Amino acid sequence: MATAAAETLGLLWGWLWSESFWLPQNVSWADLEGPGDGYGYPRAQHVLSVFPLAVCIFSVRMLFERFIAKPCALRVGIEDSAFCKVEPNDILEKVFVSVTKYPDEKRLKGLSKQLDWSVRKVQCWFRHRRNQDKTPTLTKFCESMWRFTYYSCIFCYGIRFLWSMPWFWDTRQCWYNYPYQPLSRELYYYYLTQLAFYWSLMFSQFIDVKRKDFLMMFIHHTIGIVLTTFSYVNNMVRVGAIIFCLHDFADPFLEAAKMANYARCERLCIALFVIFAAAFIVTRLAIFPLWILNTTLFESWEIIGPYPSWWLFNALLLILQVLHAIWSYLIVRTASKALNRGKVSKDDRSDVESSSEEEDETTHKNHLSGSSSSNGANCMNGCMGGSHLAEEQERGICKATGNLHFRASPHLHSCN
């Protein structure tokens, strides 16, 4: 039995790392085991080191948010307060969890009679119960500050060493003598750090602020990890590093805009978001297809020719470009509203969700009057105060979209 299982695993492992799939013709894994120069050639076992590194990055994040980001948030006036827990009530809790978080007038009256409470008291219970599930602004500020710091630092590191690389300026050199391209120390640390960070995002997204585009972001992070891992194993790290750097450029502006939003700096939030929108669209819809897709699809075909993993790599990049287009549409819509109305009703790629009671109260009134539930329930964090959010809701402007970390920023995925 044990022998059969070992043979099965051996066949599976051989199939997974088939040379005919991953490498160009007449190239074997043994050819890439030589010392080369610098750090040699990329090897699959190097990827295993990203898991302890991802744990370290997450630990650094926890320390950063507690001892650096939190004091900064308090200094700019963000209160360290949580919503008060509501009075436990099994009947109302069952309705809240299983039926609706926004009961209509008929249901409110029925619950009022059943509990011998006033309608107003039932309304207040549901409003406070909704607030209880919301993430405090302080938590969201700390998360954005961590990402702003990471994205800024990794972009500076990446552009610093890429600037002197000839293949950064002439992408055809990414394919000359491929795959026999030695791995430099800077590129080794840059690539594995990015991969470790994406693994930390993959797991932390389940405990971070929940965003409306959670599924899109999950797909984005998955594509980013798969692309990064595969491109490292078959030594496409040159073009991969360029993709990382390109995607890192816009992300700090997004996180800075969110921090300004949480701190109620309206004009700064609008300015940063518009800058982010311009940077995102230029890098993802113009530079990415004209520079990156051009070299991965056409220049590589001309120099080394296609092979099975080449098709996989480019297919994932094309899927990523589709995500870029979707996010760009959401961003343009939000930026247009910001310019037309002088406010950012919400960040279409990020959770800018307001936690004010005014928002919930207005949303509740909309439900009682029969208005669309999406106006309030889907409204994400407004740049203005609660009264402005109420006005936005009444106009039906806010619509849910969720987190533009896309990092997209997945990268090679990316992608925030």
PDB file of all heavy atoms in Angstrom, residues 70-96:
ATOM      1  N   LYS A  70      -1.753  53.079  14.998  1.00  0.00           N
ATOM      2  CA  LYS A  70      -2.785  53.482  15.959  1.00  0.00           C
ATOM      3  C   LYS A  70      -2.477  54.834  16.599  1.00  0.00           C
ATOM      4  O   LYS A  70      -3.369  55.700  16.650  1.00  0.00           O
ATOM      5  CB  LYS A  70      -2.952  52.399  17.033  1.00  0.00           C
ATOM      6  CG  LYS A  70      -4.082  52.698  18.013  1.00  0.00           C
ATOM      7  CD  LYS A  70      -4.272  51.550  18.988  1.00  0.00           C
ATOM      8  CE  LYS A  70      -5.396  51.869  19.981  1.00  0.00           C
ATOM      9  NZ  LYS A  70      -5.610  50.733  20.933  1.00  0.00           N
ATOM     10  N   PRO A  71      -1.245  55.086  17.092  1.00  0.00           N
ATOM     11  CA  PRO A  71      -0.957  56.428  17.614  1.00  0.00           C
ATOM     12  C   PRO A  71      -1.151  57.525  16.565  1.00  0.00           C
ATOM     13  O   PRO A  71      -1.613  58.626  16.894  1.00  0.00           O
ATOM     14  CB  PRO A  71       0.510  56.325  18.059  1.00  0.00           C
ATOM     15  CG  PRO A  71       0.714  54.880  18.346  1.00  0.00           C
ATOM     16  CD  PRO A  71      -0.119  54.156  17.339  1.00  0.00           C
ATOM     17  N   CYS A  72      -0.800  57.232  15.308  1.00  0.00           N
ATOM     18  CA  CYS A  72      -1.005  58.226  14.245  1.00  0.00           C
ATOM     19  C   CYS A  72      -2.492  58.501  14.040  1.00  0.00           C
ATOM     20  O   CYS A  72      -2.901  59.651  13.840  1.00  0.00           O
ATOM     21  CB  CYS A  72      -0.379  57.748  12.942  1.00  0.00           C
ATOM     22  SG  CYS A  72       1.416  57.719  12.948  1.00  0.00           S
ATOM     23  N   ALA A  73      -3.305  57.455  14.099  1.00  0.00           N
ATOM     24  CA  ALA A  73      -4.746  57.624  13.933  1.00  0.00           C
ATOM     25  C   ALA A  73      -5.333  58.472  15.059  1.00  0.00           C
ATOM     26  O   ALA A  73      -6.161  59.364  14.828  1.00  0.00           O
ATOM     27  CB  ALA A  73      -5.423  56.260  13.887  1.00  0.00           C
ATOM     28  N   LEU A  74      -4.893  58.202  16.273  1.00  0.00           N
ATOM     29  CA  LEU A  74      -5.382  58.990  17.404  1.00  0.00           C
ATOM     30  C   LEU A  74      -4.945  60.445  17.292  1.00  0.00           C
ATOM     31  O   LEU A  74      -5.696  61.366  17.653  1.00  0.00           O
ATOM     32  CB  LEU A  74      -4.871  58.382  18.712  1.00  0.00           C
ATOM     33  CG  LEU A  74      -5.348  56.949  19.020  1.00  0.00           C
ATOM     34  CD1 LEU A  74      -4.692  56.428  20.286  1.00  0.00           C
ATOM     35  CD2 LEU A  74      -6.873  56.904  19.151  1.00  0.00           C
ATOM     36  N   ARG A  75      -3.756  60.661  16.758  1.00  0.00           N
ATOM     37  CA  ARG A  75      -3.247  62.025  16.634  1.00  0.00           C
ATOM     38  C   ARG A  75      -4.053  62.850  15.633  1.00  0.00           C
ATOM     39  O   ARG A  75      -4.201  64.062  15.789  1.00  0.00           O
ATOM     40  CB  ARG A  75      -1.771  62.000  16.241  1.00  0.00           C
ATOM     41  CG  ARG A  75      -1.103  63.367  16.169  1.00  0.00           C
ATOM     42  CD  ARG A  75       0.376  63.224  15.923  1.00  0.00           C
ATOM     43  NE  ARG A  75       1.055  62.656  17.076  1.00  0.00           N
ATOM     44  CZ  ARG A  75       1.506  63.369  18.102  1.00  0.00           C
ATOM     45  NH1 ARG A  75       1.337  64.685  18.124  1.00  0.00           N
ATOM     46  NH2 ARG A  75       2.120  62.776  19.092  1.00  0.00           N
ATOM     47  N   VAL A  76      -4.559  62.190  14.576  1.00  0.00           N
ATOM     48  CA  VAL A  76      -5.334  62.932  13.580  1.00  0.00           C
ATOM     49  C   VAL A  76      -6.818  62.989  13.937  1.00  0.00           C
ATOM     50  O   VAL A  76      -7.635  63.454  13.134  1.00  0.00           O
ATOM     51  CB  VAL A  76      -5.172  62.324  12.174  1.00  0.00           C
ATOM     52  CG1 VAL A  76      -3.729  62.385  11.732  1.00  0.00           C
ATOM     53  CG2 VAL A  76      -5.687  60.878  12.113  1.00  0.00           C
ATOM     54  N   GLY A  77      -7.162  62.526  15.131  1.00  0.00           N
ATOM     55  CA  GLY A  77      -8.520  62.716  15.618  1.00  0.00           C
ATOM     56  C   GLY A  77      -9.461  61.544  15.440  1.00  0.00           C
ATOM     57  O   GLY A  77     -10.672  61.693  15.649  1.00  0.00           O
ATOM     58  N   ILE A  78      -8.959  60.383  15.058  1.00  0.00           N
ATOM     59  CA  ILE A  78      -9.816  59.204  14.935  1.00  0.00           C
ATOM     60  C   ILE A  78      -9.955  58.564  16.305  1.00  0.00           C
ATOM     61  O   ILE A  78      -8.960  58.236  16.953  1.00  0.00           O
ATOM     62  CB  ILE A  78      -9.230  58.203  13.928  1.00  0.00           C
ATOM     63  CG1 ILE A  78      -9.165  58.846  12.539  1.00  0.00           C
ATOM     64  CG2 ILE A  78     -10.062  56.927  13.890  1.00  0.00           C
ATOM     65  CD1 ILE A  78      -8.518  57.969  11.498  1.00  0.00           C
ATOM     66  N   GLU A  79     -11.177  58.397  16.757  1.00  0.00           N
ATOM     67  CA  GLU A  79     -11.419  57.934  18.115  1.00  0.00           C
ATOM     68  C   GLU A  79     -11.217  56.431  18.235  1.00  0.00           C
ATOM     69  O   GLU A  79     -11.543  55.669  17.321  1.00  0.00           O
ATOM     70  CB  GLU A  79     -12.840  58.298  18.553  1.00  0.00           C
ATOM     71  CG  GLU A  79     -13.094  59.801  18.609  1.00  0.00           C
ATOM     72  CD  GLU A  79     -14.504  60.118  19.064  1.00  0.00           C
ATOM     73  OE1 GLU A  79     -15.282  59.162  19.284  1.00  0.00           O
ATOM     74  OE2 GLU A  79     -14.828  61.308  19.192  1.00  0.00           O
ATOM     75  N   ASP A  80     -10.676  56.040  19.377  1.00  0.00           N
ATOM     76  CA  ASP A  80     -10.480  54.621  19.684  1.00  0.00           C
ATOM     77  C   ASP A  80     -11.710  54.130  20.428  1.00  0.00           C
ATOM     78  O   ASP A  80     -11.720  53.967  21.642  1.00  0.00           O
ATOM     79  CB  ASP A  80      -9.231  54.437  20.547  1.00  0.00           C
ATOM     80  CG  ASP A  80      -8.944  52.964  20.812  1.00  0.00           C
ATOM     81  OD1 ASP A  80      -9.593  52.117  20.182  1.00  0.00           O
ATOM     82  OD2 ASP A  80      -8.064  52.672  21.648  1.00  0.00           O
ATOM     83  N   SER A  81     -12.767  53.917  19.678  1.00  0.00           N
ATOM     84  CA  SER A  81     -14.027  53.514  20.310  1.00  0.00           C
ATOM     85  C   SER A  81     -14.705  52.449  19.471  1.00  0.00           C
ATOM     86  O   SER A  81     -14.604  52.441  18.250  1.00  0.00           O
ATOM     87  CB  SER A  81     -14.959  54.712  20.471  1.00  0.00           C
ATOM     88  OG  SER A  81     -15.248  55.297  19.212  1.00  0.00           O
ATOM     89  N   ALA A  82     -15.376  51.579  20.129  1.00  0.00           N
ATOM     90  CA  ALA A  82     -16.147  50.519  19.472  1.00  0.00           C
ATOM     91  C   ALA A  82     -17.628  50.759  19.729  1.00  0.00           C
ATOM     92  O   ALA A  82     -18.009  51.470  20.667  1.00  0.00           O
ATOM     93  CB  ALA A  82     -15.732  49.149  20.000  1.00  0.00           C
ATOM     94  N   PHE A  83     -18.475  50.198  18.909  1.00  0.00           N
ATOM     95  CA  PHE A  83     -19.905  50.355  19.082  1.00  0.00           C
ATOM     96  C   PHE A  83     -20.378  49.553  20.284  1.00  0.00           C
ATOM     97  O   PHE A  83     -19.913  48.445  20.543  1.00  0.00           O
ATOM     98  CB  PHE A  83     -20.641  49.893  17.823  1.00  0.00           C
ATOM     99  CG  PHE A  83     -20.331  50.710  16.609  1.00  0.00           C
ATOM    100  CD1 PHE A  83     -19.536  50.190  15.608  1.00  0.00           C
ATOM    101  CD2 PHE A  83     -20.814  52.001  16.476  1.00  0.00           C
ATOM    102  CE1 PHE A  83     -19.243  50.937  14.487  1.00  0.00           C
ATOM    103  CE2 PHE A  83     -20.525  52.748  15.359  1.00  0.00           C
ATOM    104  CZ  PHE A  83     -19.744  52.219  14.362  1.00  0.00           C
ATOM    105  N   CYS A  84     -21.315  50.128  21.005  1.00  0.00           N
ATOM    106  CA  CYS A  84     -21.861  49.450  22.175  1.00  0.00           C
ATOM    107  C   CYS A  84     -22.675  48.240  21.739  1.00  0.00           C
ATOM    108  O   CYS A  84     -23.375  48.276  20.720  1.00  0.00           O
ATOM    109  CB  CYS A  84     -22.757  50.398  22.967  1.00  0.00           C
ATOM    110  SG  CYS A  84     -21.872  51.821  23.659  1.00  0.00           S
ATOM    111  N   LYS A  85     -22.565  47.181  22.492  1.00  0.00           N
ATOM    112  CA  LYS A  85     -23.326  45.985  22.181  1.00  0.00           C
ATOM    113  C   LYS A  85     -24.784  46.187  22.574  1.00  0.00           C
ATOM    114  O   LYS A  85     -25.096  46.800  23.597  1.00  0.00           O
ATOM    115  CB  LYS A  85     -22.745  44.780  22.914  1.00  0.00           C
ATOM    116  CG  LYS A  85     -21.387  44.347  22.382  1.00  0.00           C
ATOM    117  CD  LYS A  85     -20.962  43.023  22.971  1.00  0.00           C
ATOM    118  CE  LYS A  85     -19.654  42.541  22.343  1.00  0.00           C
ATOM    119  NZ  LYS A  85     -19.228  41.227  22.866  1.00  0.00           N
ATOM    120  N   VAL A  86     -25.666  45.648  21.744  1.00  0.00           N
ATOM    121  CA  VAL A  86     -27.088  45.815  21.994  1.00  0.00           C
ATOM    122  C   VAL A  86     -27.556  44.854  23.073  1.00  0.00           C
ATOM    123  O   VAL A  86     -26.874  43.873  23.404  1.00  0.00           O
ATOM    124  CB  VAL A  86     -27.895  45.573  20.698  1.00  0.00           C
ATOM    125  CG1 VAL A  86     -27.535  46.588  19.641  1.00  0.00           C
ATOM    126  CG2 VAL A  86     -27.655  44.162  20.181  1.00  0.00           C
ATOM    127  N   GLU A  87     -28.711  45.133  23.596  1.00  0.00           N
ATOM    128  CA  GLU A  87     -29.323  44.256  24.595  1.00  0.00           C
ATOM    129  C   GLU A  87     -29.637  42.906  23.942  1.00  0.00           C
ATOM    130  O   GLU A  87     -30.286  42.856  22.893  1.00  0.00           O
ATOM    131  CB  GLU A  87     -30.609  44.907  25.106  1.00  0.00           C
ATOM    132  CG  GLU A  87     -31.437  44.035  26.026  1.00  0.00           C
ATOM    133  CD  GLU A  87     -32.766  44.678  26.377  1.00  0.00           C
ATOM    134  OE1 GLU A  87     -32.918  45.886  26.093  1.00  0.00           O
ATOM    135  OE2 GLU A  87     -33.639  43.969  26.907  1.00  0.00           O
ATOM    136  N   PRO A  88     -29.162  41.794  24.490  1.00  0.00           N
ATOM    137  CA  PRO A  88     -29.442  40.483  23.890  1.00  0.00           C
ATOM    138  C   PRO A  88     -30.942  40.217  23.792  1.00  0.00           C
ATOM    139  O   PRO A  88     -31.689  40.462  24.740  1.00  0.00           O
ATOM    140  CB  PRO A  88     -28.768  39.498  24.851  1.00  0.00           C
ATOM    141  CG  PRO A  88     -27.749  40.315  25.586  1.00  0.00           C
ATOM    142  CD  PRO A  88     -28.335  41.689  25.703  1.00  0.00           C
ATOM    143  N   ASN A  89     -31.358  39.755  22.619  1.00  0.00           N
ATOM    144  CA  ASN A  89     -32.770  39.433  22.415  1.00  0.00           C
ATOM    145  C   ASN A  89     -32.847  38.338  21.351  1.00  0.00           C
ATOM    146  O   ASN A  89     -32.544  38.586  20.177  1.00  0.00           O
ATOM    147  CB  ASN A  89     -33.560  40.670  21.979  1.00  0.00           C
ATOM    148  CG  ASN A  89     -35.054  40.411  21.932  1.00  0.00           C
ATOM    149  OD1 ASN A  89     -35.540  39.662  21.101  1.00  0.00           O
ATOM    150  ND2 ASN A  89     -35.782  41.052  22.840  1.00  0.00           N
ATOM    151  N   ASP A  90     -33.251  37.145  21.752  1.00  0.00           N
ATOM    152  CA  ASP A  90     -33.237  35.998  20.843  1.00  0.00           C
ATOM    153  C   ASP A  90     -34.162  36.188  19.655  1.00  0.00           C
ATOM    154  O   ASP A  90     -33.833  35.799  18.521  1.00  0.00           O
ATOM    155  CB  ASP A  90     -33.625  34.723  21.606  1.00  0.00           C
ATOM    156  CG  ASP A  90     -32.598  34.331  22.656  1.00  0.00           C
ATOM    157  OD1 ASP A  90     -31.428  34.772  22.517  1.00  0.00           O
ATOM    158  OD2 ASP A  90     -32.941  33.602  23.601  1.00  0.00           O
ATOM    159  N   ILE A  91     -35.303  36.789  19.856  1.00  0.00           N
ATOM    160  CA  ILE A  91     -36.278  36.961  18.773  1.00  0.00           C
ATOM    161  C   ILE A  91     -35.743  37.929  17.723  1.00  0.00           C
ATOM    162  O   ILE A  91     -35.745  37.631  16.515  1.00  0.00           O
ATOM    163  CB  ILE A  91     -37.622  37.454  19.334  1.00  0.00           C
ATOM    164  CG1 ILE A  91     -38.238  36.387  20.252  1.00  0.00           C
ATOM    165  CG2 ILE A  91     -38.581  37.808  18.188  1.00  0.00           C
ATOM    166  CD1 ILE A  91     -39.513  36.836  20.940  1.00  0.00           C
ATOM    167  N   LEU A  92     -35.261  39.079  18.174  1.00  0.00           N
ATOM    168  CA  LEU A  92     -34.741  40.076  17.229  1.00  0.00           C
ATOM    169  C   LEU A  92     -33.463  39.578  16.555  1.00  0.00           C
ATOM    170  O   LEU A  92     -33.235  39.847  15.371  1.00  0.00           O
ATOM    171  CB  LEU A  92     -34.483  41.391  17.955  1.00  0.00           C
ATOM    172  CG  LEU A  92     -35.712  42.098  18.536  1.00  0.00           C
ATOM    173  CD1 LEU A  92     -35.307  43.418  19.196  1.00  0.00           C
ATOM    174  CD2 LEU A  92     -36.760  42.345  17.459  1.00  0.00           C
ATOM    175  N   GLU A  93     -32.634  38.866  17.306  1.00  0.00           N
ATOM    176  CA  GLU A  93     -31.395  38.343  16.725  1.00  0.00           C
ATOM    177  C   GLU A  93     -31.703  37.335  15.619  1.00  0.00           C
ATOM    178  O   GLU A  93     -31.018  37.311  14.578  1.00  0.00           O
ATOM    179  CB  GLU A  93     -30.551  37.689  17.811  1.00  0.00           C
ATOM    180  CG  GLU A  93     -29.182  37.199  17.348  1.00  0.00           C
ATOM    181  CD  GLU A  93     -28.246  38.339  16.982  1.00  0.00           C
ATOM    182  OE1 GLU A  93     -28.458  39.464  17.483  1.00  0.00           O
ATOM    183  OE2 GLU A  93     -27.293  38.101  16.202  1.00  0.00           O
ATOM    184  N   LYS A  94     -32.725  36.509  15.824  1.00  0.00           N
ATOM    185  CA  LYS A  94     -33.100  35.534  14.800  1.00  0.00           C
ATOM    186  C   LYS A  94     -33.579  36.228  13.538  1.00  0.00           C
ATOM    187  O   LYS A  94     -33.232  35.833  12.415  1.00  0.00           O
ATOM    188  CB  LYS A  94     -34.186  34.612  15.346  1.00  0.00           C
ATOM    189  CG  LYS A  94     -34.581  33.503  14.380  1.00  0.00           C
ATOM    190  CD  LYS A  94     -35.612  32.572  15.005  1.00  0.00           C
ATOM    191  CE  LYS A  94     -35.989  31.458  14.025  1.00  0.00           C
ATOM    192  NZ  LYS A  94     -36.998  30.539  14.628  1.00  0.00           N
ATOM    193  N   VAL A  95     -34.365  37.290  13.705  1.00  0.00           N
ATOM    194  CA  VAL A  95     -34.826  38.060  12.547  1.00  0.00           C
ATOM    195  C   VAL A  95     -33.644  38.724  11.854  1.00  0.00           C
ATOM    196  O   VAL A  95     -33.534  38.713  10.620  1.00  0.00           O
ATOM    197  CB  VAL A  95     -35.862  39.118  12.981  1.00  0.00           C
ATOM    198  CG1 VAL A  95     -36.216  40.035  11.803  1.00  0.00           C
ATOM    199  CG2 VAL A  95     -37.113  38.450  13.524  1.00  0.00           C
ATOM    200  N   PHE A  96     -32.740  39.294  12.636  1.00  0.00           N
ATOM    201  CA  PHE A  96     -31.586  40.003  12.080  1.00  0.00           C
ATOM    202  C   PHE A  96     -30.692  39.070  11.272  1.00  0.00           C
ATOM    203  O   PHE A  96     -30.231  39.424  10.183  1.00  0.00           O
ATOM    204  CB  PHE A  96     -30.782  40.627  13.225  1.00  0.00           C
ATOM    205  CG  PHE A  96     -29.615  41.461  12.773  1.00  0.00           C
ATOM    206  CD1 PHE A  96     -29.763  42.803  12.484  1.00  0.00           C
ATOM    207  CD2 PHE A  96     -28.346  40.902  12.642  1.00  0.00           C
ATOM    208  CE1 PHE A  96     -28.694  43.579  12.063  1.00  0.00           C
ATOM    209  CE2 PHE A  96     -27.271  41.657  12.223  1.00  0.00           C
ATOM    210  CZ  PHE A  96     -27.450  43.004  11.938  1.00  0.00           C
TER     211      PHE A  96
END
